[in-house]
Amino acid sequence: MQPETILESKSIRCTPIRQAILEILLKKGCPMSYKEVEAFLPEESDRVTIYRTLSLLFRKGIVHRVMDMKGTWRFCAHDPGISGCPGDHAHFECLICGRMDCLTNTCLPYIDVEDGAVVKGKHMVVYGVCSLCMK
Amino acid sequence: MQPETILESKSIRCTPIRQAILEILLKKGCPMSYKEVEAFLPEESDRVTIYRTLSLLFRKGIVHRVMDMKGTWRFCAHDPGISGCPGDHAHFECLICGRMDCLTNTCLPYIDVEDGAVVKGKHMVVYGVCSLCMK
DNA sequence: TCCCAGATGCAACAATGTTGCAGGAGTGAT
DNA sequence: ATCACTCCTGCAACATTGTTGCATCTGGGA
Ligand SMILES: [Mn+2]
Ligand SMILES: [Mn+2]
Ligand SMILES: [Zn+2]
Ligand SMILES: [Zn+2]
C-alpha cells in the first residue's frame, strides 16, 4: 500500500517528510532508529521533525516500535495490506551489525504477573549475532 | 549472603561504595536504575563511580541487568545463596510508579531465529500497571 | 616502607529524547 | 481571492543516561 493512502486513511496530513519517512520504513521493513531513518532522508532534514513524525506514526498505530539493547526506540512499519501486524512478536538484534529484524512468525508467550496487576504490552528482544555477521 | 562475602568471592576489592551499592541491590531485590541506587547513597556519591560500580558488578556476574521501557539499564542482585539466578526470566514494569520486578518464576521461551544466527541472550519486559497503582 | 595496580572524583563529551516558540504552509469558510 | 485558523516545520534549548580520559588517592603485597 502507498504511504499517502495509509496517511489519508488515518486522517493525517500527507506532507513530503511524512511520506518519505513512511516510505523508508515500509521499504526496509525492519525496526529503525531515528538515526537510521535520517540516513535515508535529505541532508537538511530536521532531527526533531523526524522524531515528531515517528512519534505521530506510532501514536496513530501506523508503526510499532521496539526498544533495542542500546536503549533507543526503533520504529517499524509492516504493510497494512498484509493481515494486521500488532507488533506482538519478538525481535532479533544483531550485536555486531546492529540490524534488527521482526520475528513475525513468533508469538509472545503468556506471562503470569502478580494478582491485580494489568498487562498493557509485552516486549521481547532476542540478541546475538546474525547469520551474515557469523561468516 | 553478605555483600563483602560476595565481593571477595569474585576477587573484587571490597570498598565502601561497592559494599553499599551491592547491599542496596540485595535489600531491594528488584532491578534499579543508577538513579534509583543513587537515591539511597550519601549525597556526595559520584555518578560515574556508581556507573562504573554497577558495570563491574554486572561484568563479574554478581548482578544482572534489564533495559526498561525508558531505555535505561536497571541492575538487580538476587542473593546467590538462593539457587542460581541467571537473569533468564521476564520482568514486569509498572508504567505508573515505574517499579520493576523480576518474574523469577517465569522462563523465557525458545525463539526461532534465522538459520546461521546465534542467540546470545533474551530480554523480555512485560509492562502495565502494578496492583498497587491499580487501586 | 615503598611501589603499583586499582579505585575514585571531576571534567567533558555523545546520543537520544523532549519541549517551547516563532514562522510558514495548507485548508476551509466567507 | 481573502482571511482566519489549524497544523507542520525548523531551531534553540534542555534533561538524562551512558561513556571516556586523566589526575589523584588508596590499599595491599613485595
Ligand atoms: Mn516488529
Ligand atoms: Mn531479574
Ligand atoms: Zn549482524
Ligand atoms: Zn505501580
Side-chain angles (χ1 to χ4, degrees):
Chain A
M1 207 184 285
Q2 294 303 311
E4 312 100 69
T5 317
I6 299 175
L7 292 173
E8 281 164 15
S9 76
K10 298 281 183 174
S11 315
I12 298 172
R13 205 180 277 178
C14 182
T15 66
I17 262 217
R18 289 175 180 179
Q19 208 172 317
I21 289 179
L22 184 50
E23 190 164 13
I24 291 167
L25 291 179
L26 284 168
K27 186 179 293 176
K28 297 294 168 185
C30 65
M32 299 170 79
S33 66
Y34 97 86
K35 198 82 180 174
E36 288 176 290
V37 171
E38 191 178 37
F40 292 95
L41 289 171
E43 283 286 339
E44 64 276 12
S45 304
D46 183 59
R47 199 170 74 83
V48 179
T49 301
I50 301 172
Y51 162 75
R52 279 199 261 241
T53 301
L54 291 172
S55 300
L56 177 74
L57 295 179
F58 171 69
R59 206 169 347 107
K60 294 292 184 177
I62 298 172
V63 304
H64 64 279
R65 62 176 190 183
V66 199
M67 178 149 301
D68 67 22
M69 298 306 285
K70 280 185 178 167
T72 69
W73 284 114
R74 304 221 192 179
F75 299 81
C76 179
H78 296 300
D79 196 315
I82 301 166
S83 68
C85 167
D88 189 34
H89 50 254
H91 296 84
F92 179 80
E93 180 178 349
C94 174
L95 301 176
I96 308 295
C97 67
R99 208 183 71 236
M100 185 180 264
D101 277 313
C102 290
L103 303 173
T104 48
N105 56 330
T106 66
C107 196
L108 297 186
Y110 171 79
I111 297 283
D112 206 30
V113 296
E114 59 173 350
D115 282 352
V118 172
V119 173
K120 297 279 184 184
K122 287 174 284 189
H123 193 268
M124 181 157 191
V125 176
V126 177
Y127 53 92
V129 185
C130 77
S131 57
L132 290 177
C133 291
M134 277 300 293
K135 287 176 187 165
Chain B
M1 208 186 282
Q2 295 303 312
E4 314 98 69
T5 317
I6 299 174
L7 292 173
E8 281 165 16
S9 77
K10 296 281 182 174
S11 314
I12 299 172
R13 206 180 277 179
C14 182
T15 67
I17 257 223
R18 290 176 178 178
Q19 206 172 318
I21 290 180
L22 185 48
E23 189 163 16
I24 291 167
L25 292 179
L26 284 168
K27 187 179 293 175
K28 298 293 169 188
C30 65
M32 300 170 79
S33 66
Y34 98 84
K35 197 83 180 172
E36 288 176 289
V37 170
E38 191 177 37
F40 292 96
L41 289 171
E43 285 287 338
E44 66 275 12
S45 304
D46 182 59
R47 200 171 74 84
V48 179
T49 302
I50 301 173
Y51 161 75
R52 279 199 263 238
T53 301
L54 291 171
S55 300
L56 176 73
L57 295 179
F58 172 70
R59 204 167 349 108
K60 293 294 183 173
I62 297 172
V63 303
H64 63 279
R65 63 176 190 182
V66 198
M67 178 149 300
D68 68 22
M69 299 305 285
K70 281 185 177 166
T72 69
W73 285 114
R74 302 219 192 182
F75 298 81
C76 180
H78 297 300
D79 194 315
I82 301 166
S83 69
C85 167
D88 190 34
H89 49 254
H91 296 85
F92 178 81
E93 180 178 349
C94 175
L95 300 177
I96 307 295
C97 67
R99 209 183 70 237
M100 185 179 263
D101 277 313
C102 291
L103 302 174
T104 47
N105 56 329
T106 66
C107 196
L108 297 186
Y110 171 79
I111 298 282
D112 206 30
V113 296
E114 58 172 352
D115 281 351
V118 172
V119 174
K120 296 280 185 182
K122 288 175 283 189
H123 194 268
M124 181 158 193
V125 176
V126 177
Y127 53 92
V129 184
C130 76
S131 57
L132 291 177
C133 291
M134 278 301 293
K135 288 179 186 168

